[in-house]
Amino acid sequence: MASAVSLAASPSPLAAYTSPARTLRHGHAALPPARGPRSPALRAVSGNRRGASAVVHAVQGQDTTIQVPDVTKATWQSLVMESELPVLVEFWASWCGPCKMIDPIVGKLSKEYEGKLKCYKLNTDENPDIASQYGVRSIPTMMMFKNGEKKDAVIGAVPESTLITCVEKFTER
């Protein structure tokens, strides 16, 4: 019991933030107040309107990801099964964080292999029948199709090199 008393008596660095006055309704401690200089961008966003719009435009200008076209149940046969080129299909969902990480990589590959590979995205929430037909149990899943047949699959947010290795097996560079 003596150790408990000595722990209680020692000042905690969070003591100022976990006092009853600083405790939120559900028993969680409030965060300490922000300290230090604020960045100019943060000042612009929180300050005047002119600075805020300048920051927003700068961020929008940096978005250079290549949009991968969607494939659906209605277009699956013509775009994937009847394609003369190998096809990489990314099975994804809008709520999936790792899918958002892999999407720019698939977009980059579609640009690098233009004329040698087709890339599409299939939303598994909107097209569950196709996802289950090919045994997709985890997203993101990238599948390679060639001559209307599933050839390979890569599951998860993998490094770009892993997808390149998969693509290289079925394309001519």
Side-chain angles (χ1 to χ4, degrees):
M1 200 56 146
S3 63
V5 171
S6 64
L7 286 175
S10 66
S12 165
L14 295 175
Y17 304 112
T18 57
S19 68
R22 298 220 21 119
T23 302
L24 299 177
R25 183 169 20 153
H26 299 290
H28 300 288
L31 295 174
R35 301 200 189 280
R38 290 168 57 187
S39 72
L42 185 58
R43 256 182 281 164
V45 169
S46 62
N48 65 21
R49 286 186 90 95
R50 186 180 306 144
S53 64
V55 171
V56 170
H57 290 300
V59 171
Q60 288 174 345
Q62 293 173 2
D63 184 19
T64 58
T65 57
I66 297 158
Q67 294 297 321
V68 178
D70 289 313
V71 63
T72 64
K73 182 179 181 179
T75 59
W76 181 263
Q77 185 65 31
S78 62
L79 295 179
V80 179
M81 296 290 105
E82 297 172 2
S83 176
E84 293 182 13
L85 294 175
V87 179
L88 177 67
V89 178
E90 174 190 355
F91 291 82
W92 71 288
S94 60
W95 50 263
C96 170
C99 297
K100 293 174 185 169
M101 293 168 50
I102 202 82
D103 192 51
I105 297 171
V106 174
K108 183 178 175 184
L109 290 177
S110 74
K111 181 74 172 165
E112 287 179 12
Y113 288 87
E114 195 168 3
K116 296 176 170 73
L117 175 74
K118 296 282 185 179
C119 294
Y120 298 105
K121 292 169 41 171
L122 182 121
N123 187 321
T124 57
D125 287 339
E126 296 171 2
N127 303 279
D129 46 347
I130 295 176
S132 63
Q133 178 182 346
Y134 289 96
V136 174
R137 304 180 97 208
S138 179
I139 53 173
T141 293
M142 283 63 61
M143 280 190 195
M144 283 294 305
F145 292 86
K146 189 170 184 178
N147 300 324
E149 294 180 30
K150 174 187 166 187
K151 296 292 186 182
D152 202 359
V154 177
I155 300 169
V158 296
E160 182 178 346
S161 60
T162 304
L163 280 180
I164 289 173
T165 301
C166 178
V167 166
E168 290 282 330
K169 290 188 248 178
F170 305 102
T171 58
E172 297 154 12
R173 191 105 195 197

